[in-house]
Structure formats: structure tokens, C-alpha cells
Amino acid sequence: MTPLARDALARMVALHLPQEGFVNLGIGAPTHVADYLPEGSGVILHSENGVLNVGPKPAAGEEDWDLINAGKMPISLRTGGSYFDSSLSFAMMRGGHLDVAVLGAFQVSKDGDLANWTTGDNGSPPGIGGAIDLAVGAKSIWVMMDHTTKDGRSRIVERCGYPLTARGVVTRIFTNLCIIDVTEDGLAVRALLDGLAIEALRDRTEAPLRVMGDPLTIRQDGSVA
Amino acid sequence: MRNVVVEDAAAAVEGIKDGDAVMMGGFGGAGLPLGVVKAVLDRGVRDLTLISNNAGSTEDDLSLWFEARIVRKIVCSYPRSAKQFAEQYRAGTVELELVPQGTLVERIRAGGAGLGGFLSPVGVGTVFADGKERIVVDGREFILELPLHADFAFVKGHLADTLGNVTYNKTARNHCAVMATAGRTVAVEVDRVVNVGDLDPEAIVTPCIFVDRVFARSSR
């Protein structure tokens, strides 16, 4: 059993986004979900710095540094795109106009608490950016992250040890091992990596997991059946 | 007829003094008035309160202000990847007020719009609610966020006419259009100054009533 590679995790998230949904992809790994959107998905990507209908990275030499994404990297604009100021952009985010926000995380709790802005390390200045506004305002908050830290500790926890971004907001967790829904009755496993037993997943998870019916199977390419 | 065009960046920052609060537009480099960054340095002012989304990230941006130690406090949402700022932050020589990005821009909007603040759900249940008044509306908890004002707001536009109407370029609009409402003195660095009547009224984002000074950036 090999955990999903980063590109496969990004594809898995991309395949789940709602048709024609308005979606914000957070900085870091979530940004790469854009590369795996299925043809004809109709998904309209929002970027917090004031653009709807974000297109792919421009070709080398075609970059316009006045046209960037939240990660401050050059993007292109799709037909039907628009620009707006930050206040209107955050009205979209805070006001519940986005269908899904995909965010990275340090930790997610069994109640959907999200910790993704600081580990409390005083050595470097903290940054919050727009993650907190998304976490409070989007209709669905999805987290994509490695299931465990580099030293093997679960990122899914009973209670977050790191400072919170928002309480009780995460609705779905995509990891390199599984897909979990955050429900009123706790964490429910929807899909499981091919070859991974549910008990092995429980061993790697510091919060109770429920299984509803037969979980779907996640293949190494990120597709789910 | 009104004409707010000034010679250069030095003229645009005329009157700035020690201890002033200064808004600087931009998200990363997009929307940052770079000519102003240098003109403020040349003025030799100190103890500024800087209101900005970022704290610089290359050698040639707001990092210059931290290197020169002219900022006493920064009100900011994402001061990451900012080497010069980080050094002073660790040394304790600069104060950081960390504000969620949407709250930052809305506090600026409130300042420019004459509001006494606004109620936000962002930060409830986190450290961002510490010390703030909590108000329940229709059963949902909000925190009271207060307006931000500044002595100067400096932003980067694309085109301005001589009256001071401004358009922006793509995502360089970001915080600029909002900051342009909230400074006691508002100065706009633009790519080009055009004649009154050359801008499509439908395309003007910042109407001239907000703008005190406009200058065309020098071609470097």
C-alpha cells in the first residue's frame, strides 16, 4: 500500500468538485487541483486577490505580473472572466457565494475544526491571509492534506493542538489514504485507498472513524470507484 | 478645471511626516506603487504605521522600508516570505497587528465609507476574537471590527485622467481601489496620465472625488 502521490490526490479532489461550481483553491497543494479538472467540468475558479474564471498558467514569456493568483504566481483569464477589488472578492468569500473552498491544513478535528495558519512557532511571523475568510464563508470547506505528519502523527485529531482558523467548518477531508466526511455523528469514511484495511486507517488516525456501508476504493491515479 | 497631476513620486509624498499611518496598495507586487516606496525612503521619515496586505518579499519592494527601519508597526494579513520584516519581527523592533485579509480590506472600506465598524463572523472562536466585542445577531455570533484610517493612501493604478479618475490593470486592482477611499491624502501612481474624456465612464473604478494626487511612474 503506497499512499497517493500529490498529483493523484489533486486529481481525486478535482474529480469531486461540483459541475459548474464556483470554487476557490487555497495556496499550496490545493492550487494544483486546477491542473486536473475534467474537460467540460464548467467549474469557475475564484482567486481571493480579485479574479473569477482563473485559467491555466501562461506559457513561458507570456507572464503578466498584474495577473496573478493568491500564491502570487502568474495565471491567465478564461473567457467570461472578471476582475474586482478585494472588498468585493471577500464579499464573495464571506457571503456564502462560493460552493467549495479547498484548503490545506495542519490539523482537522473530529468536529470539523480547522487549524491551517500557524503551528505557533514564534521563530517566524505568522500569516493568516484569506484562509480564515474562506473557512467561515464558503458553502463547503474541503481539506486536502497528507493523512499524517512526516514523523507519522495523525493530522486528524480529537482536538486541534494548533491555533484554530475556524470552528466546526470542515465538511470533507481528502488525504493520501482516504476520503472522510465530517458529519454530526462524527467522522465517516467514504472511500479508502486500494489495499488499505479500515483497521490500518484507524491505527493512523487519532479520532474515531465510522464506516457507512461499503467504502469506495481509491485507485493509485486518484480515481474512485 | 481641476488638475491633480503632480510631477513625480517625490511630489506625491509631499507632507508625509514621522509617525504617519500609511496605506500601501498591492497584493505581492501587483498594485504596489514602487515609485512611492522609494520616494518615502528618500524623505527620511520614521516610525510609520504601515497598512498593507504584505510586508515585502523581494529586495525591491516594501522590504526596503524594513531594511531602513522606518516602520514601527504593520497592520497586515500575510507578512510571510518577508526576510527583512521577519528579522525585525524576531528582534522585537516592529509591532505586527495580524488581520484576516477580508477583515483588513473591510476595515479599510469602513474607514473610507464613514462607518464606525462592522460585524464579522470571521475569527469567532479563535485568537482573532481576543479583546473584541461580541455581538449576537439572529442567533449568530459576530465580532465588532473597527475602521482603519490613514494619513496617506498610496496605490497603483493603470490610467488616470487629469481630474483624478482612475482605472486599474487586472488583479493589480486588489486593495488599491478600497485604500483609495480611505486616506486623508490619496496619491495614485499610474502607468499613464490621459486627458479628461479619454476614459470610458463605465470603466472608471476610482472616481476623482477620492483622489488628491496622480503621477505617471517613471519609465525605468
Side-chain angles (χ1 to χ4, degrees):
Chain A
M1 191 278 307
T2 312
L4 278 189
R6 284 181 181 277
D7 57 342
L9 177 55
R11 180 180 291 115
M12 181 164 77
V13 175
L15 293 174
H16 283 79
L17 288 172
Q19 280 276 328
E20 299 179 6
F22 288 96
V23 173
N24 183 296
L25 301 173
I27 57 175
T31 304
H32 299 294
V33 171
D35 299 335
Y36 299 97
L37 282 173
E39 194 74 29
S41 75
V43 165
I44 294 179
L45 294 176
H46 168 268
S47 188
E48 70 192 26
N49 54 316
V51 52
L52 263 181
N53 235 323
V54 173
K57 188 170 84 173
E62 302 283 301
E63 298 92 347
D64 176 349
W65 290 95
D66 275 350
L67 181 49
I68 59 175
N69 62 15
K72 306 187 177 76
M73 297 309 291
I75 53 171
S76 61
L77 189 72
R78 288 190 193 280
T79 307
S82 54
Y83 304 118
F84 34 87
D85 67 57
S86 300
S87 176
L88 194 59
S89 186
F90 280 83
M92 295 174 193
M93 294 157 74
R94 203 193 299 106
H97 304 281
L98 290 170
D99 294 303
V100 180
V102 183
L103 300 171
F106 297 127
Q107 290 176 326
V108 179
S109 83
K110 64 175 172 37
D111 304 310
D113 295 351
L114 172 68
N116 78 345
W117 68 280
T118 180
T119 57
D121 165 24
N122 290 325
S124 53
I128 180 71
I132 186 167
D133 307 87
L134 279 171
V136 170
K139 286 177 192 150
S140 296
I141 306 296
W142 294 359
V143 160
M144 64 182 285
M145 61 181 184
D146 286 346
H147 200 88
T148 59
T149 62
K150 281 185 186 121
D151 52 0
R153 281 175 299 133
S154 175
R155 292 177 183 272
I156 298 172
V157 293
E158 284 271 345
R159 284 186 64 154
C160 294
Y162 295 135
L164 290 185
T165 308
R167 282 188 198 278
V169 296
V170 176
T171 52
R172 188 172 284 180
I173 309 166
F174 295 84
T175 80
N176 51 356
L177 300 180
C178 64
I179 303 173
I180 291 173
D181 278 350
V182 182
T183 74
E184 285 186 358
D185 302 321
L187 302 177
V189 178
R190 278 178 73 90
L192 205 54
L193 187 61
D194 194 17
L196 179 69
I198 184 70
E199 284 316 315
L201 183 67
R202 286 195 168 112
D203 287 347
R204 290 169 168 82
T205 309
E206 269 178 36
L209 296 178
R210 257 174 348 107
V211 182
M212 285 166 61
D214 276 340
L216 300 169
T217 300
I218 301 168
R219 299 200 198 89
Q220 281 295 329
D221 66 356
S223 62
V224 176
Chain B
M1 193 189 283
R2 185 177 203 258
N3 185 336
V4 297
V5 177
V6 297
E7 182 74 16
D8 53 15
V13 307
E14 184 64 38
I16 192 172
K17 59 186 190 307
D18 290 355
D20 274 357
V22 177
M23 291 175 180
M24 289 293 279
F27 186 96
L32 179 72
L34 196 53
V36 169
V37 172
K38 292 176 179 171
V40 168
L41 275 177
D42 290 343
R43 291 281 303 197
V45 291
R46 304 174 61 245
D47 293 327
L48 299 179
T49 293
L50 169 62
I51 300 164
S52 165
N53 192 64
N54 303 103
S57 59
T58 69
E59 302 292 311
D60 196 29
D61 56 17
L62 287 170
S63 293
L64 295 168
W65 287 13
F66 291 99
E67 202 173 349
R69 297 175 177 261
I70 66 169
V71 179
R72 184 185 61 76
K73 176 182 178 182
I74 181 169
V75 183
C76 184
S77 90
Y78 201 75
R80 303 278 291 172
S81 318
K83 187 164 148 269
Q84 281 79 3
F85 166 75
E87 280 170 12
Q88 285 189 48
Y89 176 81
R90 282 191 209 100
T93 52
V94 63
E95 183 189 340
L96 169 65
E97 181 179 343
L98 191 68
V99 183
Q101 191 181 156
T103 300
L104 178 66
V105 71
E106 203 61 17
R107 288 178 64 191
I108 296 165
R109 200 188 76 80
L115 301 174
F118 61 98
L119 303 180
S120 179
V122 173
V124 170
T126 75
V127 295
F128 293 98
D130 291 353
K132 292 172 186 167
E133 192 175 336
R134 295 168 189 218
I135 296 168
V136 174
V137 179
D138 288 341
R140 188 177 184 193
E141 190 176 335
F142 295 85
I143 51 183
L144 175 64
E145 294 285 357
L146 302 178
L148 283 169
H149 303 277
D151 298 290
F152 285 85
F154 296 115
V155 305
K156 170 74 178 35
H158 177 42
L159 303 177
D161 66 21
T162 54
L163 278 176
N165 293 304
V166 179
T167 69
Y168 297 89
N169 189 40
K170 305 187 177 82
T171 58
R173 186 183 308 189
N174 55 60
H175 298 267
C176 293
V178 183
M179 288 180 172
T181 68
R184 193 167 296 136
T185 299
V186 173
V188 187
E189 178 171 338
V190 293
D191 296 318
R192 201 152 48 86
V193 174
V194 299
N195 294 321
V196 174
D198 285 355
L199 297 178
D200 177 357
E202 295 281 8
I204 292 168
V205 174
T206 296
C208 64
I209 192 169
F210 294 112
V211 176
D212 301 294
R213 301 170 186 174
V214 158
F215 72 100
R217 69 172 192 170
S218 51
S219 40
R220 271 156 295 151

